[in-house]
Amino acid sequence: MMELPIDIHTVKGFLSDDEGAALYAMALDCAPLGPCLEVGSYCGKSSVYLGVACQKAGGLLYAVDHHRGSEEHQLGEEYHDPELYDEAIAKMDSFRVFRSTMDVAQLNDTVVPIVASSAMAAKYWSTPLSMVFIDGGHSEEAAQTDYRSWVGHIMQGGILAIHDIFPDPAEGGQAPYHIYQQALASGLFEELPMVNTLALLKRL
């Protein structure tokens, strides 16, 4: 049974309850096999679901995010949050809130923050991963970079999860859907049932 040490609805983020529960269940199964990794931590909502599961299973979660916000979080954009904007440097900064979330959720012994771009974090990466959750920038370039950077590190039997899958362009951005289609076309993955906008694929 999933029990979270924090009221998840107090954490900023765009993950639905059913999507969070699915991430938790997948991480709980995967974490004993090797570390999990997420791209796009923001304020730590998904990190709580994944991190608590990893903690329960005795595993580890790497949380990759430059914490300067995606394209849609910037000043004047649709999902800009003024509470996360640092006036002194005129940049977004979600890392201080992320750290606070990890403190409250008692996950500092399980979640390893990597404050860097996806490409930089992956440049010399060599550790096999039991689960990769992609929820970074939604531009085509950002999504493709996340996919290319991490998909090759997923171990056999591991899980690739991709958030914000909208087959209909009228409902949302297409970049996550495109990398989901690439993963299916690669022949490396078996498709599992989708949960809301969360795609789940198992590495063959």
Side-chain angles (χ1 to χ4, degrees):
M1 181 178 178
M2 181 179 65
E3 293 184 9
L4 303 178
I6 185 174
D7 180 356
I8 199 65
H9 300 111
T10 66
V11 183
K12 294 177 185 289
F14 309 96
L15 198 68
S16 65
D17 291 348
D18 56 349
E19 292 168 343
L23 288 178
Y24 175 91
M26 289 294 166
L28 196 61
D29 286 343
C30 289
L33 308 176
C36 301
L37 182 144
E38 68 169 353
V39 181
S41 304
Y42 196 48
C43 294
K45 193 165 195 173
S46 58
S47 314
V48 170
Y49 284 109
L50 292 166
V52 169
C54 287
Q55 189 178 62
K56 186 172 183 179
L60 204 64
L61 171 68
Y62 291 100
V64 178
D65 197 315
H66 49 58
H67 288 284
R68 293 302 187 197
S70 301
E71 301 80 3
E72 63 270 21
H73 299 143
Q74 303 308 312
L75 192 65
E77 297 299 323
E78 183 179 1
Y79 292 101
H80 177 71
D81 185 339
E83 292 182 6
L84 302 178
Y85 188 71
D86 189 335
E87 294 279 359
I89 59 173
K91 290 182 179 180
M92 293 293 295
D93 181 11
S94 56
F95 187 51
R96 56 191 172 84
V97 178
F98 172 85
R99 289 190 68 177
S100 176
T101 302
M102 295 305 100
D103 285 341
V104 175
Q106 304 167 45
L107 288 172
N108 289 317
D109 64 345
T110 303
V111 177
V112 182
I114 300 177
V115 185
S117 69
S118 187
M120 186 183 297
K123 190 170 184 179
Y124 295 108
W125 192 273
S126 59
T127 303
L129 299 165
S130 66
M131 180 175 180
V132 169
F133 173 47
I134 297 179
D135 191 21
H138 285 12
S139 69
E140 196 67 39
E141 181 182 2
Q144 291 291 339
T145 296
D146 292 341
Y147 180 78
R148 289 194 304 267
S149 295
W150 300 108
V151 72
H153 296 293
I154 302 173
M155 63 180 62
Q156 188 174 10
I159 294 294
L160 170 62
I162 307 172
H163 192 222
D164 290 331
I165 303 298
F166 296 105
D168 183 353
E171 295 181 359
Q174 292 295 283
Y177 181 55
H178 292 160
I179 62 171
Y180 160 71
Q181 289 177 306
Q182 285 176 237
L184 288 177
S186 72
L188 297 174
F189 294 93
E190 171 191 358
E191 186 176 16
L192 302 178
M194 190 173 292
V195 178
N196 204 335
T197 71
L198 178 69
L200 299 166
L201 303 103
K202 186 173 184 177
R203 177 74 162 83
L204 298 172

